[in-house]
Amino acid sequence: MNVDAEEPVLHVQGLRFGWSASPLFDQLSFDLPPGVSLVRGDDGSGKSTLLRLLAGAQNADAGVLAIHGVRLDMQHDAYRHQVFWIDPQTEAHDALAAKGYLDSLSHHYPHFNAETMRELAEGFGLGPHLAKPMYMLSAGSRRKVWLTAAFSAGTPLTLIDQPFAALDAPSIRFLRELLSDAADHAARTWLLADHEAPEGIALRKTIEL
């Protein structure tokens, strides 16, 4: 498949961001086609920060971000509805039951699929944990909730930070199956941030930091 001939899901042009006088990103530009792509870098290279910027959760100093032509700086809310991202360390949803958090996604994402959510929760073995408040879940179970949300939100762009962190072996296998299917998707893109490429997944693009 010719990546250059495809309409990109995400267009990034001239992205600039830094915490000090020395920018972390300066004139960073790339397009993401449908399928699975990777941001790869060592600790401190800016992988998580880049996902936050692409999600619209952190303001860039300069640059254009657009999903299917919808620009973050011009149509903020419309852009945010087209991207799924969650900070894996967030405590914002701790008071909610896991199922309550997952059910709430339908209010934020127009293409959220409840049936897909139920299938994913089963695949990740979340059944015994859905009624528990998020603060009671282990790090691995919380990750499974976030992954269930990511794959059921139905957004054109899905951003996942360290997707395999804290998962047990059956969940790692299930996630690899999901990513293998995602790699062939014709209209949606998944951008992973990790230290290394996921084994056995055909990547459309790799962004080295």
Side-chain angles (χ1 to χ4, degrees):
M1 187 179 294
N2 184 354
V3 172
D4 294 332
E6 291 179 303
E7 181 73 23
V9 175
L10 174 69
H11 173 68
V12 178
Q13 182 177 344
L15 184 66
R16 189 178 191 278
F17 176 80
W19 301 107
S20 61
S22 178
L24 183 61
F25 306 115
D26 193 10
Q27 295 300 314
L28 179 64
S29 299
F30 59 87
D31 289 341
L32 288 185
V36 178
S37 294
L38 174 70
V39 177
R40 178 165 56 193
D42 296 329
D43 288 341
S45 62
K47 300 186 302 298
S48 298
T49 301
L50 180 57
L51 293 196
R52 291 182 65 90
L53 290 165
L54 299 181
Q58 176 76 49
N59 292 329
D61 298 325
V64 173
L65 304 176
I67 299 174
H68 290 315
V70 177
R71 287 178 48 159
L72 174 62
D73 59 336
M74 299 177 70
Q75 296 171 273
H76 182 271
D77 291 345
Y79 180 100
R80 292 293 301 270
H81 286 314
Q82 294 193 76
V83 55
F84 179 89
W85 169 85
I86 191 165
D87 179 354
Q89 307 302 324
T90 185
E91 298 178 355
H93 309 290
D94 275 8
L96 290 175
K99 188 175 186 305
Y101 164 72
L102 291 171
D103 287 341
S104 74
L105 297 174
S106 63
H107 302 299
H108 303 284
Y109 303 106
H111 300 292
F112 169 76
N113 189 310
E115 181 58 34
T116 298
M117 182 267 285
R118 287 188 286 270
E119 293 172 357
L120 291 167
E122 181 178 350
F124 280 117
L126 281 173
H129 306 292
L130 289 175
K132 298 176 183 176
M134 292 295 299
Y135 73 85
M136 291 184 62
L137 300 186
S138 67
S141 292
R142 289 168 69 93
R143 287 275 184 164
K144 295 174 190 179
V145 172
W146 306 147
L147 289 166
T148 295
F151 281 90
S152 59
T155 49
L157 175 63
T158 299
L159 308 170
I160 307 178
D161 200 353
Q162 293 189 286
F164 297 98
L167 295 184
D168 52 40
S171 293
I172 288 174
R173 288 194 295 271
F174 183 59
L175 178 56
R176 288 193 192 281
E177 293 174 8
L178 294 174
L179 289 172
S180 292
D181 291 340
D184 294 326
H185 204 285
R188 296 174 60 194
T189 190
W190 287 258
L191 182 60
L192 316 179
D194 218 335
H195 301 94
E196 57 187 26
E199 184 180 349
I201 307 301
L203 296 175
R204 299 304 310 282
K205 193 161 205 163
T206 299
I207 301 163
E208 301 281 0
L209 298 182

